[in-house]
């Protein structure tokens, strides 16, 4: 609360508002234009590749696994802004996470994009992908980096 009589803080944009969607769009474009952790990962202990033929997207994920911990993760690929931005966000969330935690985050994103109830606080920046849920054909774009991560980690897909 401003005690000095200054301008009041801007209220947080309402969920589902055009303003919030514009913010989300900005986050996606930022990751698309300046992808984090993109490129080959020297010393990778596992690798998996996922393609999305309907959109022409390709994502390869490399990880350095240390017991149950993801020491490092990088991705390479090309495709639409959603697939690449989602991969960039995935690397930031998965790096340093346990295999179990990364799996839970990936499943939470899948639930979000399927319009199912989900603990929103656990998703962090991935909430920027929420508008994708209204375009079912693009959900695969947003999920492919997480599918590739799961495959690289040897995690069985859960129904
Ligand atoms: Zn795509």
């Amino acid at each position: 609360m401003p005690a000095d009589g200054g301008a009041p803080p801007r209220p947080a944009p309402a969920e589902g508002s055009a303003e919030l969607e514009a913010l989300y769009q900005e986050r996606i474009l930022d990751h698309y234009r300046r992808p984090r952790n993109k490129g080959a990962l020297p010393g990778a202990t596992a690798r998996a590749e996922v393609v999305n033929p309907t959109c022409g997207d390709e994502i390869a994920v490399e990880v350095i696994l240390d017991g149950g911990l993801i020491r490092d993760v990088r991705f390479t690929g090309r495709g639409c802004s959603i697939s690449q931005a989602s991969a960039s966000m995935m690397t930031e969330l998965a790096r340093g996470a346990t295999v179990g935690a990364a799996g839970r985050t990936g499943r939470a994103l899948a639930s979000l994009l399927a319009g199912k109830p989900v603990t929103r606080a656990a998703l962090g920046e991935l909430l920027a992908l929420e508008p994708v849920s209204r375009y079912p054909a693009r959900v695969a774009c947003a999920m492919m980096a997480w599918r590739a991560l799961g495959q690289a980690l040897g995690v069985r897909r859960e129904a």
Side-chain angles (χ1 to χ4, degrees):
M1 282 308 221
D4 58 0
R10 277 164 63 88
E15 214 168 285
S17 71
E19 191 183 351
L20 188 64
E21 197 141 319
L23 281 175
Y24 282 173
Q25 185 71 19
E26 211 171 280
R27 296 307 303 145
I28 291 171
L29 286 177
D30 182 63
H31 275 273
Y32 179 56
R33 291 179 181 137
R34 298 189 304 115
R36 282 42 149 199
N37 308 308
K38 187 169 184 183
L41 178 58
T45 57
R47 181 181 198 278
E49 203 171 327
V50 169
V51 297
N52 177 19
T54 58
C55 193
D57 307 321
E58 301 171 6
I59 294 283
V61 169
E62 289 184 299
V63 296
I64 295 177
L65 205 55
D66 182 359
L69 193 74
I70 303 167
R71 280 264 176 245
D72 205 355
V73 50
R74 293 178 70 82
F75 81 101
T76 53
R78 59 197 176 96
C80 72
S81 58
I82 292 168
S83 67
Q84 304 302 305
S86 178
S88 174
M89 291 175 182
M90 179 279 288
T91 60
E92 288 197 319
L93 286 164
R95 172 185 270 167
T98 62
V99 170
R104 281 193 295 278
T105 304
R107 287 193 294 279
L109 177 63
S111 294
L112 178 80
L113 297 183
K116 293 179 189 162
V118 64
T119 309
R120 301 177 66 85
L123 284 163
E125 194 168 43
L126 292 177
L127 287 172
L129 294 167
E130 187 171 24
V132 175
S133 67
R134 291 200 296 279
Y135 308 94
R138 309 304 299 280
V139 169
C141 304
M143 285 309 301
M144 58 192 298
W146 291 91
R147 285 174 51 213
L149 177 68
Q151 286 176 24
L153 298 176
V155 176
R156 263 187 300 257
R157 276 190 81 183
E158 293 179 26

